[in-house]
Structure formats: C-alpha cells, structure tokens
Amino acid sequence: MGWLAVGTPLAWPEAKQNADRVREWGIEQLLAIWRRAKGKERDALLWGDEIEYLVVAYDDEHRRVDLSLRQADILDALARDEALADRGTCVPELSTGEPSTPVRVHRERDCAHWDASAPAPPRQHDLLPTFHPEFGRFMLEATPGRPWGIGFRDLLDVERNMRLRRVIAKDHMAPNEYPVTLTTFPRLGAPGRFTAPFFAPSGERLRSQFVPDEICNPHIRFPTLAANIRARRGRKVALNVPVFRDAHTPRPFRDPTVDYDLHRYPEDDDVRNGAVAEDCIYMDAMAFGMGSCCLQITFQAKNITEGRRLYDQLSPLGPVMLALTAATPLYKGFVADTDVRWNQIGAAVDDRTPEELGEKVSSPCAGPTALTGQPLEHDRWRIPKSRYASNSTYISQDPRLRREYLDPDLVVDDALRRRLVDGGMDELLATHFAHLFIRDPIVVFSEELRELDLAKTNHFENLQSTNWQHMRFKPPPHDGDTGWRVEFRPMEIQMTDFENAAFALFIVLVTRAILTFDLNLYVPIRCTTENMETAHARDAVLDRRFHFRKNPFPARHARPASNGASGASTPRGPLPSRPPTPEGPVEDEHEPMTVDEIINGQGESGFPGLLPLVESYLSSVKVDVETRCELTRYLDLIRRRASGRLWTGARWIRHFVGGHAEYRRDSVVTEGMTYDLVKAVERITKGEGVEEGLGREMLGDKR
C-alpha cells in the first residue's frame, strides 16, 4: 500500500512550488536516519509477504461478475469483529477526512499481535493477519500478523497463513462476494457495467473515458496522486498494450471503445492528438495500473552491508521472476499480446512531461545534453524511465561491482548527492538516493511544510514511496527496532495460496543461498532493463532468453554454513575473502539464457541453476526428512513452471478464454466469459474441481 498520511493536499501548481523544500527536507531526514542506524545490527533475518486481492461480486442469476467497491465496509467489519479483536487483529482505520467512529482494534508496533512476555509464542499461522486498504476500492491487502523468521517451521506455516487470510477476509464479505487473487479484472474499463455498485465513467480526479473516480480509495492521497500526476505531465496517462491478433481480430486494430468525440475535459483532446496507438488496447487512468495485484516480499537484513548486498544480488532476478509468475493477459475486455502487468503500471503513474520524455526539446542540441543530466528549457533533465520501472542503481560496496555494470544514462541530482556525501554517506549509496530524488513529490500536505522534524521520515518517504522500482532499499523507521530492509517487488500474484507460498519460499531460500555461497549474480544494469522488457512477451518463460551471469561463484567456493536445525539467519562461519575486482570484458561474464536454464541449470558445464543452488543450501543445513519433503512440494512447482511442464497463470487464462463457447477469435472478452473465468479461478483457489482436472495445467495432478 505504501506510505499514507492525512492532511490538506496541495493542488499541483502549489505542490510544485514546494517540491525543492520537500526534497531538501527529505534528504535531511535521510541523513538523520543514516547517522542513527548505519551501524544497527539485528540478530536474524526476518521477512514478510504482501498478498493483494480483488474483491468480486457475483450475480449468478444473470451470469455476471463485477468488482465490489465495498473495501471500506469490509475493513470496518473486520475492525468491529470483537472475536477478532480479542485475538489481537490489526485493521488500520480508513481516513477519508470525515470523523471516524472508534473501533475496537488491538494495535502494537508493526501489528505484532502477541505479548512478548508470554511464555511461548504461538505458531505463526495461528496469529491473525493484518488487513490494509489499497488504491482500488475493490482491493484488499493482507500481511502476516508478525514478520516471518527464516526457521523452516516458519516457512512451512506460510501457506496455511495465506489461507487463513483469505478465509477471514471472505467471512467479512457479503455472501455473493469473494477475494480472488487475479492480477487484473478482465473487464475493468470495458463498456457497460464492471463495478458494484455501478458508477458511470466520470470524475474530476481521473478524467477517464473508461472508469469513474469512485473506483479509487477515498483516502485523500490516492485521488490527489492521480490528479497531480495528470496535472504535472500536462495530459492524462496513456497505457497502450499490444492486442493479441487472433484469426478475426481487426487489422489494423483500432480500439473500438475510444470516444473521439468526447469534450468533457481539456484532456479529452489527448485521443485526438495521438494518445491512442494502433493495434493496442488504450487506457487512460491510474486505476488501470495501480488497480493491479501482486506478491511482494520484504527482507530485514542483519545489517546495512547485508541489505545492500541482497539488493544488488536480487536485482537481476527481477525480470526472471516476473516472467515465471506471468498472470496478466487480459485488459479492458480484450486479450493482450503481453503476459505481465509491469509496464502498464509504469505508464499509469508516469508523470514525466513531454520535455522529460524527450518529445519536446528547446534547441537542436538539447536532446543529447539531456541524456547526461543537464537542464532543459522548462525541466531539469530528460528522464529515461517512469517512476515505476526497473532499478537503475547498484548500491553494495562489493569489490566485484564493476563500473561497467552501472547505468551510463543515470540521472542524479548532484546537489543532493553532495549533501549526502558531506553528511557522511558513501558515494555509491548517495548516488542511489540522489537518483530517486530527481522526482517531484506528487502529494504534498500543507500541514507538513511548517517545520522540519528530524525525528520523522515523512518527507523522505514522500519521495521514497513514490519511486516504485522492482527493488526497494528501505532504511529503518524511527521505532528503534526495525532494521535495514529490502523489498522484492516484481512478482505477479498467483491464483492459489499454494502458488503464492511457493514463490515466496523460493525467493527466501534464494537469499539464503546467495549469502551462504557468496554468489555473484551481477550483470550490467542495462541488461536488467532489457530483461524487464523481454519478460512482457507472451510465453516469455518458454520462448525468450534473459541476460544472466554465467558463473555465480567466487574465486574460491564458500564453505557452506552450519546453521543448525532452525535454519537461522545469516550464515555462520568464515567465508573466503572476496576476490579482487574482476577483469576482462564484461560481455564475457553473461549470456542469454532461458528461464529454465536460469532456474534449473545448464548442466555440468554451464550455469548451475538457482534451484540446485537452493537445494545445495538445504543439504548444507540440518533439515529433517519430513520438512525437506514439504519444501520439495513448493520447489517442484518452481522447477516445473520454469521447464514448461506446468503453465503460467497467463497461459492458463489464455487457454480458458480461447476455448470458451462465447469466444469468436476476435480478441474480445465478454461478460459471460469473465463470469465463467472468475468462477473457475475461485474453484481452483478452493481446491474444487480437482477431480475434473481444473487448473491441472498450472498445478499438476497434486498440490
């Protein structure tokens, strides 16, 4: 969900006037955190997952399904449930600017719902989860009641906890509602009705042709974010997703849902000025991106050094895991020719002006100088990426990090970087944050401009939380306990709790292998950027290749850690000294590989494979046979998805739509098809339909 605050938001012209102050104060707050927490040590790695749901409402009599806009009602029901309150549930209040009725909710730091003085904590899956609002009024976010540990007992509780979250959420919904874990709703923005209750497309905030303002969470941050992004860029956001060309798809395809004669707002001219791309599904609002669901994993590292290392080493995995979890082939009632959500969200929050995009230059020489970070006529730089994009920095002080791996087009605010360096931060990390801070703060509250409070992080988080890169490095908050954290953000949400648990556990175990074996997965940033584009292709998991490092091992193999039965945090025992900075052409260090080769390995002479490395880690620690067998269930899903023996969610959805009786091979997804698809997903989620093989292509014969 990100950082939320309450106050009086400034419209964009006034917010722009205060942008420099927010940036400068954010840097001072960051330096205060740095001085206080740079030496912080934690005893063990902790981690947490975030699951996001679409809440759907069925009308079985008419065979239709809509998005339920009852997020606030559901959260209120959860908060008012005294039985849950007695067990310590945590439901943040919705802040809409109106007085709220007190609710009986037990709150502790980080929603850790267990008395630390109790003789023994309960199993994690017995702890009640935390529920949060999200951007869409049809969405819910759920997290575990307290962070997970690295112990194998915790790992085996994850799926049960995910099931518990869904059960509790469903118990506080209407009988005809259900929380599905689909990335997007297939007919969001399509002609006709797609929300319950129905609202016609209109509204001052989004100014969309296709969706109403009422689809957004009413918390003032969200509509202000959407309005100010539109105002800053000088036009509506534009999402153009390539349409899948089937036998009867019109050629060329011109999105038939676009109204070129609409004259309600000045931005309605966008479609008459070329916003709609040929052979693409066109969308025009933040809701089409931020209304998407995903699976995110956050790790608390032992210290800042370990956190920076995990940030760098996990970064090249992002595109691979995006392709492996692909689950987004439908948009606005059409079949798309892409399989994942990432670029669509990037376009949905892209606040860059025409000049920042390179569409408008002030002089013949302005374009080239813009790439080096020099000011243009009206804006400060040309910015190559949306604020929702793949990473552009590495941050670890690892001697294996070569200058050639860095982004040659990185745009940095040099004045802010100098301030960070002068304040004691090293050049590499200062460059990372000075890159994030090239962006303007989009939502500025007038109350927060009165004075700088170095005991808070509000101005820092204003910029940090609206840089949505596929990895996020998170300094400790001012709670005195939480450590340095790394957030892994690219994965798509999966239909079942089993799948989501499998991908969560796999990434956790990959971090253990990285630290235990001192793995080196560095590739140039430009390769990761290219890989993120590759991941969008239809069936990229089978048909495309990703730049990946050929040899992940240090000069001398690290001695596997002896962590004991608990699978404790950071590997113990001496690791070999790091090798010197590598030499030789960078191009010789990596090569294009399939997802199968990256996950399962290339054989004896090639890349060993992430899954065999995870299994080597498990063999190096004391894991009982029963636990190892349970973990194998999850790892086998990853193995078979990567090899193609099991389908991704995207491929299964395409197959379902393509085989539906109403499908005319014209790339159109009807209301009836959507109803049957969502019903099938619910049955798969519940484990129903197993006998007739529903979902077998994704899950195999046994889960």
Side-chain angles (χ1 to χ4, degrees):
M1 175 182 62
W3 173 77
L4 291 182
V6 179
T8 307
L10 303 181
W12 175 244
E14 192 174 357
K16 182 178 181 180
Q17 292 175 2
N18 288 278
D20 285 339
R21 186 195 307 183
V22 173
R23 273 190 291 265
E24 291 166 4
W25 285 6
I27 290 295
E28 295 305 317
Q29 289 179 336
L30 174 59
L31 281 173
I33 298 170
W34 170 258
R35 296 183 187 110
R36 173 182 52 81
K38 61 183 178 181
K40 176 176 282 191
E41 295 277 343
R42 307 307 308 146
D43 291 334
L45 179 139
L46 299 175
W47 66 279
D49 66 88
E50 299 176 23
I51 296 285
E52 294 171 341
Y53 306 95
L54 301 178
V55 181
V56 297
Y58 295 110
D59 179 349
D60 293 326
E61 181 180 355
H62 298 98
R63 287 190 65 251
R64 65 170 300 110
V65 61
D66 298 310
L67 290 168
S68 171
L69 303 186
R70 292 196 328 106
Q71 176 195 89
D73 295 333
I74 295 166
L75 288 172
D76 187 63
L78 286 161
R80 292 177 183 278
D81 187 327
E82 293 196 1
L84 292 182
D86 287 340
R87 294 178 59 191
T89 190
C90 180
V91 182
E93 295 177 6
L94 291 175
S95 298
T96 62
E98 300 176 357
S100 59
T101 303
V103 293
R104 186 183 178 194
V105 182
H106 176 70
R107 286 184 174 83
E108 293 184 8
R109 176 187 50 78
D110 287 339
C111 300
H113 317 301
W114 184 252
D115 181 358
S117 65
R123 289 174 66 90
Q124 176 76 352
H125 70 270
D126 294 328
L127 295 171
L128 292 178
T130 305
F131 292 94
H132 312 270
E134 257 294 346
F135 174 86
R137 285 176 63 190
F138 50 86
M139 301 172 73
L140 287 178
E141 178 187 298
T143 56
R146 64 192 300 175
W148 299 106
I150 191 58
F152 297 116
R153 181 177 176 181
D154 271 9
L155 295 182
L156 296 182
D157 282 345
V158 171
E159 182 185 355
R160 285 188 288 264
N161 186 274
M162 290 179 175
R163 290 179 179 175
L164 176 65
R165 294 176 227 174
R166 200 187 300 257
V167 167
I168 291 175
K170 169 55 186 167
D171 286 347
H172 294 80
M173 295 177 184
N176 68 324
E177 293 175 333
Y178 191 77
V180 296
T181 40
L182 285 171
T183 313
T184 60
F185 186 70
R187 286 184 56 82
L188 173 64
R193 173 176 174 166
F194 52 84
T195 64
F198 170 76
F199 294 96
S202 63
E204 174 65 27
R205 298 290 189 168
L206 297 180
R207 301 188 180 183
S208 173
Q209 282 199 19
F210 310 111
V211 295
D213 276 5
E214 288 84 358
I215 208 166
C216 296
N217 184 319
H219 186 289
I220 194 62
R221 176 181 187 256
F222 295 111
T224 302
L225 188 63
N228 284 0
I229 284 175
R230 188 193 69 250
R232 188 187 187 281
R233 68 183 266 123
R235 51 190 169 174
K236 290 190 288 188
V237 296
L239 294 73
N240 283 287
V241 183
V243 72
F244 172 68
R245 290 187 171 187
D246 211 337
H248 303 304
T249 306
R251 302 191 182 196
F253 176 86
R254 297 184 174 90
D255 191 330
T257 67
V258 178
D259 184 352
Y260 288 90
D261 297 319
L262 190 64
H263 295 273
R264 193 162 43 201
Y265 299 108
E267 293 87 351
D268 291 332
D269 286 340
D270 290 356
V271 297
R272 293 181 283 274
N273 293 331
V276 184
E278 193 172 273
D279 293 322
C280 286
I281 307 159
Y282 171 71
M283 294 163 281
D284 67 351
M286 187 174 169
F288 288 106
M290 287 301 193
S292 305
C293 296
C294 67
L295 168 67
Q296 294 178 181
I297 311 297
T298 299
F299 302 96
Q300 177 182 273
K302 180 179 179 180
N303 51 38
I304 188 172
T305 300
E306 184 176 278
R308 292 170 72 165
R309 185 175 164 202
L310 285 176
Y311 177 94
D312 282 13
Q313 297 301 326
L314 287 174
S315 184
L317 272 61
V320 178
M321 297 308 297
L322 178 62
L324 190 57
T325 57
T328 320
L330 308 180
Y331 276 101
K332 211 182 71 172
F334 296 105
V335 184
D337 203 32
T338 58
D339 269 4
V340 300
R341 78 200 186 284
W342 191 266
N343 281 351
Q344 283 66 269
I345 309 179
V349 297
D350 193 352
D351 68 332
R352 290 175 295 171
T353 66
E355 198 171 63
E356 289 170 335
L357 285 161
E359 297 174 359
K360 173 186 176 183
V361 294
S362 56
S363 68
C365 64
T369 59
L371 286 173
T372 64
Q374 299 300 315
L376 300 181
E377 183 177 350
H378 301 293
D379 297 297
R380 300 190 295 166
W381 303 287
R382 178 179 175 188
I383 303 177
K385 296 179 181 179
S386 167
R387 60 200 302 155
Y388 195 113
S390 59
N391 285 12
S392 295
T393 58
Y394 285 128
I395 63 174
S396 178
Q397 293 176 306
D398 187 329
R400 300 173 298 186
L401 174 57
R402 302 177 64 173
R403 182 171 295 276
E404 296 95 322
Y405 301 158
L406 304 179
D407 185 351
D409 297 328
L410 187 69
V411 182
V412 174
D413 188 318
D414 283 324
L416 297 182
R417 175 167 58 183
R418 284 194 302 272
R419 176 68 190 104
L420 289 170
V421 172
D422 291 345
M425 188 176 290
D426 61 89
E427 184 82 18
L428 197 60
L429 194 57
T431 297
H432 167 76
F433 285 114
H435 166 65
L436 299 185
F437 273 57
I438 66 172
R439 310 289 178 175
D440 281 338
I442 299 299
V443 180
V444 179
F445 294 104
S446 61
E447 293 85 353
E448 297 189 339
L449 297 174
R450 295 169 185 165
E451 61 180 352
L452 171 61
D453 187 345
L454 294 180
K456 294 182 178 180
T457 59
N458 52 328
H459 298 294
F460 169 72
E461 287 295 343
N462 194 330
L463 275 301
Q464 163 93 343
S465 69
T466 53
N467 273 275
W468 298 280
Q469 298 184 346
H470 82 272
M471 298 290 301
R472 182 177 281 161
F473 186 63
K474 304 173 74 170
H478 284 286
D479 65 2
D481 186 42
T482 306
W484 295 88
R485 292 153 296 153
V486 174
E487 190 173 63
F488 189 77
R489 302 171 47 81
M491 292 190 292
E492 309 243 295
I493 198 72
Q494 305 296 290
M495 296 182 201
T496 68
D497 301 310
F498 169 69
E499 295 166 278
N500 287 315
F503 282 106
L505 299 191
F506 176 65
I507 289 298
V508 171
L509 292 172
V510 166
T511 67
R512 300 299 87 202
I514 287 171
L515 296 176
T516 300
F517 301 127
D518 198 23
L519 299 181
N520 177 7
L521 301 178
Y522 278 122
V523 296
I525 287 285
R526 58 177 170 78
C527 291
T528 299
T529 301
E530 182 180 332
N531 286 346
M532 286 295 281
E533 296 302 313
T534 300
H536 285 72
R538 178 162 42 94
D539 280 333
V541 68
L542 302 178
D543 301 335
R544 298 302 175 100
R545 291 179 177 270
F546 297 78
H547 300 286
F548 212 77
R549 192 175 188 88
K550 293 188 285 187
N551 180 12
F553 296 112
R556 296 186 299 276
H557 291 288
R559 186 181 67 190
S562 178
N563 289 350
S566 67
S569 172
T570 305
R572 304 185 190 116
L575 293 173
S577 59
R578 291 283 179 84
T581 301
E583 298 178 355
V586 169
E587 291 72 19
D588 292 346
E589 297 176 353
H590 60 86
E591 67 181 16
M593 301 184 196
T594 65
V595 172
D596 186 27
E597 291 172 329
I598 294 169
I599 298 296
N600 293 319
Q602 294 178 314
E604 292 184 5
S605 60
F607 182 74
L610 295 175
L611 200 54
L613 287 169
V614 163
E615 290 172 331
S616 293
Y617 162 72
L618 291 173
S619 296
S620 74
V621 296
K622 296 177 182 179
V623 184
D624 63 84
V625 173
E626 183 180 356
T627 298
R628 186 70 180 263
C629 289
E630 283 294 303
L631 290 173
T632 298
R633 271 198 325 126
Y634 299 111
L635 297 180
D636 194 50
L637 177 77
I638 309 300
R639 187 191 329 275
R640 294 198 286 169
R641 283 278 175 91
S643 69
R645 284 181 288 167
L646 292 180
W647 292 0
T648 63
R651 191 177 187 193
W652 186 87
I653 291 171
R654 289 180 185 279
H655 179 75
F656 185 95
V657 168
H660 196 279
E662 294 182 15
Y663 186 59
R664 299 293 177 259
R665 301 194 67 188
D666 55 1
S667 307
V668 174
V669 181
T670 66
E671 291 182 352
M673 292 158 63
T674 301
Y675 173 84
D676 290 338
L677 172 63
V678 177
K679 279 286 190 180
V681 170
E682 181 184 347
R683 293 187 68 201
I684 292 171
T685 300
K686 292 178 175 178
E688 300 171 355
V690 173
E691 292 78 10
E692 57 263 40
L694 190 62
R696 179 180 296 166
E697 300 91 343
M698 291 185 296
L699 302 169
D701 292 328
K702 294 181 180 180
R703 287 202 286 174

